[in-house]
Amino acid sequence: MIPAGTAGPPAGMTGPPGIERINAARERTAGIVRRTPTVPLELGRGGPTLWLKLELLQPVASFKLRGAAAAVTAAPPEATRAGLLTASVGNMAQGAAWMARRLGVPCSVVVPETAPATKLERIADLGASIIPVSFDRWWQTFVDRTYPGLEDRFFVHPFLDTEVMAGNGVIACELASDLPAEVGTVLVPWGGGGLACGIAAGLRELRPEIRVHAVEVEGAAPLAASLDAGEVVSIDHRPSFVDGIGAKTVFPEMLGLARKLLAGSLVVPVSAVAGAVRLLAERTRVVAEGAGAAPVAAAALLPPRDGAQTACIVSGGNIDTAKLIEILSGGVP
Amino acid sequence: MIPAGTAGPPAGMTGPPGIERINAARERTAGIVRRTPTVPLELGRGGPTLWLKLELLQPVASFKLRGAAAAVTAAPPEATRAGLLTASVGNMAQGAAWMARRLGVPCSVVVPETAPATKLERIADLGASIIPVSFDRWWQTFVDRTYPGLEDRFFVHPFLDTEVMAGNGVIACELASDLPAEVGTVLVPWGGGGLACGIAAGLRELRPEIRVHAVEVEGAAPLAASLDAGEVVSIDHRPSFVDGIGAKTVFPEMLGLARKLLAGSLVVPVSAVAGAVRLLAERTRVVAEGAGAAPVAAAALLPPRDGAQTACIVSGGNIDTAKLIEILSGGVP
């Protein structure tokens, strides 16, 4: 059991962002993040139309730059002068490293030993320092919001931070103007929960009729388990190639937000995610990582009516080429 | 030697489009084609920045829908009532089939026997009829602008047509608003020449300082040979996985346009194109076909100054999965 929340974040920094804060994040990050396209994918005649929000086209190949950019630009200059620090399996690391390079300050990243090679290489390419630790020590960083010897660094929390969620919430603004009125469901990968809750917080005000579901993968679905149990539970975590999402537990604050903002969590088999990666490469001509393809796999779990017009957040594209080859060949890494 | 131009197109239909005609095509096709994003790809510190126009995100995974949509919407309804006809290795076939489905009329496509399976499957999926013929008989269709027994069909010429080029020229409008002022060069795949000449016709008026180069692949570069010779020549054509471009010769009218509108033709090795497909998958997270990746390979041939800020038209993404796997594995199909 992980002692979540023992240190605790500064008060007032972890609630869901309102639309004013999301709009402010949109203005501050406009020259940094990309306004990504939303493209339809028709699944056969009479089948559902999926609207794909292509966050893999962001500069660091994932949505994580949105939160990093929002948090860093909201901070006063003296707060980031000594550099940035984050804890990440790879995507937020790239977001923070990108922002550090932009500011001209150092960046350090605490990663679990299981982080994939492609992501580590890209973090190093961006000039950040990598601190590999055990999974549990890594998770503890989300609680502590710092790391021994780097207490002067500005910590970019990958999910439990109002500004980070506001940055992610900008996706809701873009969806609100890009999606047809028929879309009733948005499917969002759940790792720490900052993406799903940020988007849901925005849509709640912009398109309140839309239901937002989290998406998790079998063997790594603590949100579904915690929602079922009515309290935070830890699961027996089974790693897979879907490395961008999936933890052992859920932060209490994030479970509270999920209950308030989300319609539930859909849990998809790892093999279905591999099929979705293949489908996206063959039909939409994009390379998604497992986490990014998971919502496309989850669309098949919706009741037919709900699935008729559904939007999927294709959150990122950082996948090892060897794993991509295995998937395109019909395998599951 | 192919008896090009013996039948000849109707007068006044094959000149380069002016900006008014391009703007008219833009308005008519706005609800049909996608306004594609232009994203930067940085090739290392101090290296050139390539701006990638992602036409592979079009509904049929290539730019060809632009020309098909422009030509069909410019025609009076009675002209298209009996259905559409085109000749294509696969991409314009999908563009025409897409428009035929939209109009609710039949579509037939003359293809060379060497057309790749993926493209043929997608043509069939869109409900079009396929007429496989020899390479020379296929090329003759571009001259005749019809096919025996299908004389009542509206022929969508894949390149030698002012409206088709106007549809392609809409890309110039989008580039003019998306590209920074530093971009001095645009690289465009050359198959029949309609894409390069359409874009160059638009940029000539919108951004006259930009130079447009055609891009061909070794063993299939009749434009470079014809420009060198000062007249239309036929080459010893060597097929490769780069099936979206590369013919045995050039239409005289297109050579005339190329001389007037283009800065020349860059010829890239097939292996460099495979490297560019791999680079685009790993760095930009998109699946490009050989023709679409060829401009990225060609950027390396530019003098350093010219290459500093260059735009590449990533024209399409219709590649067989088996070939994609081979390329990602480091091979050249």
Side-chain angles (χ1 to χ4, degrees):
Chain A
M1 189 64 189
I2 290 155
T6 46
M13 271 183 57
T14 60
I19 196 67
E20 300 77 15
R21 202 179 280 261
I22 291 172
N23 283 332
R26 187 181 202 180
E27 278 183 32
R28 290 199 314 279
T29 62
I32 305 169
V33 306
R34 197 161 289 150
R35 193 206 187 291
T36 55
T38 305
V39 304
L41 171 62
E42 289 173 46
L43 293 178
R45 304 217 165 189
T49 294
L50 301 185
W51 295 89
L52 308 174
K53 179 69 169 163
L54 298 181
E55 287 296 298
L56 49 75
L57 292 178
Q58 289 291 350
V60 296
S62 92
F63 77 97
K64 286 287 188 181
L65 185 60
R66 293 185 181 267
V72 168
T73 57
E78 61 272 19
T80 57
R81 199 161 290 150
L84 308 183
L85 170 69
T86 192
S88 159
V89 73
N91 280 338
M92 179 53 101
Q94 290 180 65
W98 182 276
M99 288 306 297
R101 194 177 66 167
R102 196 180 157 94
L103 293 176
V105 299
C107 181
S108 293
V109 181
V110 182
V111 303
E113 288 151 340
T114 52
T118 295
K119 291 180 179 177
L120 294 179
E121 274 167 33
R122 288 184 183 154
I123 296 167
D125 282 349
L126 288 166
S129 304
I130 294 167
I131 306 169
V133 297
S134 71
F135 190 96
D136 287 346
R137 181 64 192 84
W138 172 70
W139 188 263
Q140 183 62 31
T141 319
F142 299 132
V143 182
D144 298 343
R145 308 176 88 89
T146 185
Y147 192 80
L150 295 171
E151 289 83 358
D152 59 342
R153 296 292 183 87
F154 181 82
F155 185 74
V156 181
H157 201 293
F159 50 90
L160 188 52
D161 181 281
T162 303
E163 289 299 349
V164 167
M165 284 188 271
N168 298 337
V170 176
I171 293 173
C173 304
E174 297 175 10
L175 288 176
S177 70
D178 290 351
L179 291 178
E182 290 77 10
V183 174
T185 308
V186 175
L187 305 179
V188 192
W190 177 280
L195 180 60
C197 292
I199 291 174
L203 288 176
R204 182 173 57 164
E205 303 195 47
L206 297 168
R207 294 277 284 263
E209 74 285 4
I210 287 183
R211 288 183 304 169
V212 179
H213 290 263
V215 177
E216 298 179 285
V217 66
E218 276 179 13
L223 177 63
S226 299
L227 288 171
D228 277 353
E231 61 179 348
V232 169
V233 296
S234 288
I235 58 152
D236 189 17
H237 180 261
R238 193 167 69 236
S240 75
F241 85 93
V242 190
D243 53 61
I245 53 175
K248 294 181 182 179
T249 188
V250 180
F251 266 65
E253 296 92 332
M254 296 309 297
L255 179 60
L257 289 184
R259 276 177 161 156
K260 199 156 101 179
L261 295 169
L262 306 183
S265 177
L266 301 170
V267 181
V268 290
V270 174
S271 61
V273 177
V277 170
R278 201 159 51 243
L279 181 77
L280 288 171
E282 292 185 341
R283 294 284 305 277
T284 306
R285 314 276 87 197
V286 293
V287 175
E289 64 181 283
V296 174
L301 303 179
L302 293 170
R305 183 185 297 199
D306 291 357
Q309 295 260 345
T310 295
C312 298
I313 310 299
V314 185
S315 53
N318 288 307
I319 184 169
D320 284 341
T321 300
K323 289 178 183 169
L324 176 62
I325 290 169
E326 192 173 343
I327 289 170
L328 292 174
S329 305
V332 181
Chain B
M1 188 67 191
I2 290 153
T6 46
M13 271 183 58
T14 60
I19 196 67
E20 300 75 18
R21 202 179 278 261
I22 291 172
N23 283 333
R26 187 181 201 177
E27 279 183 31
R28 290 197 315 276
T29 62
I32 305 169
V33 306
R34 196 161 290 149
R35 193 205 185 292
T36 54
T38 305
V39 304
L41 171 63
E42 290 174 45
L43 293 178
R45 304 216 165 189
T49 295
L50 301 185
W51 295 89
L52 309 174
K53 179 68 169 164
L54 298 181
E55 286 297 299
L56 49 76
L57 292 177
Q58 289 291 351
V60 296
S62 92
F63 77 96
K64 286 287 188 182
L65 184 60
R66 293 185 182 267
V72 167
T73 56
E78 61 274 18
T80 57
R81 199 161 290 149
L84 307 184
L85 170 69
T86 192
S88 160
V89 72
N91 279 338
M92 179 52 100
Q94 291 179 64
W98 182 276
M99 287 307 298
R101 195 177 66 168
R102 196 180 156 94
L103 293 177
V105 300
C107 181
S108 294
V109 182
V110 182
V111 303
E113 287 150 342
T114 53
T118 296
K119 290 179 178 176
L120 294 179
E121 275 167 31
R122 289 185 182 151
I123 296 167
D125 282 350
L126 288 166
S129 305
I130 294 167
I131 306 169
V133 296
S134 71
F135 190 96
D136 287 345
R137 181 63 192 86
W138 171 69
W139 188 264
Q140 184 61 32
T141 319
F142 300 132
V143 181
D144 298 343
R145 307 177 89 89
T146 185
Y147 193 81
L150 295 171
E151 289 82 0
D152 60 342
R153 296 292 183 89
F154 181 82
F155 185 75
V156 181
H157 201 293
F159 51 90
L160 188 51
D161 181 283
T162 303
E163 289 300 347
V164 167
M165 285 189 270
N168 298 338
V170 176
I171 293 173
C173 303
E174 298 175 10
L175 288 176
S177 69
D178 290 351
L179 291 179
E182 289 78 10
V183 174
T185 307
V186 174
L187 305 179
V188 192
W190 177 282
L195 180 60
C197 292
I199 291 174
L203 287 176
R204 183 173 56 166
E205 303 195 46
L206 297 169
R207 295 276 284 264
E209 75 285 5
I210 287 182
R211 289 183 304 169
V212 179
H213 289 262
V215 177
E216 298 180 284
V217 68
E218 277 180 13
L223 177 63
S226 298
L227 288 171
D228 277 353
E231 61 179 351
V232 169
V233 296
S234 289
I235 58 154
D236 189 17
H237 180 261
R238 192 167 71 235
S240 74
F241 86 92
V242 189
D243 53 59
I245 53 175
K248 294 183 183 178
T249 188
V250 180
F251 267 65
E253 296 91 333
M254 297 309 296
L255 179 60
L257 290 183
R259 275 177 163 158
K260 198 155 101 180
L261 296 168
L262 306 183
S265 177
L266 302 169
V267 181
V268 291
V270 174
S271 61
V273 177
V277 170
R278 199 158 55 242
L279 182 77
L280 289 171
E282 292 185 341
R283 293 285 305 279
T284 306
R285 314 277 90 196
V286 294
V287 176
E289 63 182 282
V296 174
L301 303 179
L302 293 170
R305 181 184 299 197
D306 292 358
Q309 295 259 345
T310 294
C312 298
I313 310 299
V314 185
S315 54
N318 288 308
I319 185 169
D320 285 342
T321 300
K323 289 178 184 170
L324 176 61
I325 290 169
E326 193 173 344
I327 289 170
L328 292 174
S329 305
V332 181

